[in-house]
Amino acid sequence: MSTTALDPRPTVPNAVAGLAVFGAAVVLVAVVGGLASLSASEQYGSFVQPSWAPPSWLFGPVWTVLYVTIAVAAWLVWRTDGWSGARTALTVWAAQLVLNALWTPLFFGAGLFGAAFVEIVLLWLTIVATIVLFARHSRPAALLLLPYAAWVTFASALNLAIWMLN
């Protein structure tokens, strides 16, 4: 994906390819989560849950929307400043994606609720860092990640509650 020395922003064809790359990265994370949670709905239903726990059907639609916003946010940063201009922000974005992918295998695959809670706290911290770094490059990109941070905050509380109750 080429850029010029004077303008780090990608050309239109490269911008489309870039969106595809960010989308593919997020789809990979979703697939990892999906494979690690084939029986998640049944598992989730078998846990002792707090009264405020959402129904299992809600997670799929919420994560679908969030994954789209996660990909678009990174793409906006990359389009604004390119890889070299936003290296740190995009590296932290990639780190939060890795942490995102690790949570489901820990929680549902291995049943390690405590380890999953520690991991989701690290994920939350990395999301916040990503938002701060993205804001330096693209305010809309940072704003797109706010619902993600909010959902992971809620998911962290739910993870903790399920860990304590089970």
Side-chain angles (χ1 to χ4, degrees), residues 23-35 63 67 70 93-94 96-102 104-105 148:
V26 170
V27 167
L28 179 63
V29 169
V31 168
V32 167
L35 291 175
W63 276 111
Y67 282 139
I70 292 165
W93 176 85
Q96 68 75 29
L97 267 190
V98 170
L99 290 168
N100 184 308
L102 290 174
T104 303
Y148 178 35

Side-chain angles (χ1 to χ4, degrees), residues 35-107:
L35 291 175
S37 63
L38 292 175
S39 63
S41 184
E42 295 81 27
Q43 283 181 285
Y44 181 74
S46 72
F47 299 147
V48 177
Q49 300 177 13
S51 60
W52 44 270
S56 62
W57 64 262
L58 183 64
F59 292 93
V62 167
W63 276 111
T64 299
V65 171
L66 292 176
Y67 282 139
V68 169
T69 64
I70 292 165
V72 170
W75 177 70
L76 288 172
V77 167
W78 172 75
R79 264 190 54 213
T80 300
D81 290 328
W83 289 110
S84 60
R87 179 173 283 118
T88 300
L90 292 172
T91 300
V92 175
W93 176 85
Q96 68 75 29
L97 267 190
V98 170
L99 290 168
N100 184 308
L102 290 174
W103 184 85
T104 303
L106 283 173
F107 190 87

